[in-house]
Amino acid sequence: QVQLVESGGGLVQAGGSLRLSCAASGSIFRINSMGWYRQAPGKQRESVAVFSSGGTTNYADSVKGRFTISRDNAKNTVYLEMNSLKPEDTAVYYCGLTYLTYRYVVYDSWGQGTQVTVSS
């Protein structure tokens, strides 16, 4: 069973910065994709920044130039550096992972979520 442990988040003023981290542990043969998603009150969950299996990185248009995703493959960890935060970035941020087990079965896993609140 795979676990995702998130850290970071909190309350920050507009224009400020925060850094999120997410570490995956468990029986992972290969990570297909890993990244960050968010869900604001009354809205659907959306992709924020994700590493795909092809090695590409996809950012939501709303965060391009402000957010940067990075990873430490040896630790199965991804980070999200969030700069120039805006009130509209307020949401619960989730780490999401798609991985292949040693039995070649693909699973999705989600972190517990971490609240990011940006005050104006």
Side-chain angles (χ1 to χ4, degrees), residues 3-65:
Q3 289 187 329
L4 298 176
V5 178
E6 301 163 347
S7 62
L11 174 64
V12 65
Q13 289 188 333
S17 300
L18 285 173
R19 186 175 189 244
L20 307 180
S21 64
C22 172
S25 62
S27 183
I28 299 172
F29 174 67
R30 186 184 71 209
I31 291 177
N32 287 351
S33 68
M34 190 172 182
W36 293 94
Y37 304 77
R38 67 186 181 187
Q39 187 167 17
K43 295 187 178 181
Q44 290 187 335
R45 188 174 298 187
E46 63 175 352
S47 173
V48 176
V50 179
F51 285 114
S52 69
S53 58
T56 60
T57 304
N58 296 299
Y59 289 95
D61 288 341
S62 59
V63 307
K64 285 180 180 177

Side-chain angles (χ1 to χ4, degrees), residues 74-90:
K75 297 181 179 179
N76 284 342
T77 299
V78 293
Y79 306 93
L80 185 67
E81 189 73 35
M82 304 184 291
N83 298 315
S84 302
L85 283 161
K86 304 176 181 180
E88 51 263 44
D89 293 318
T90 295

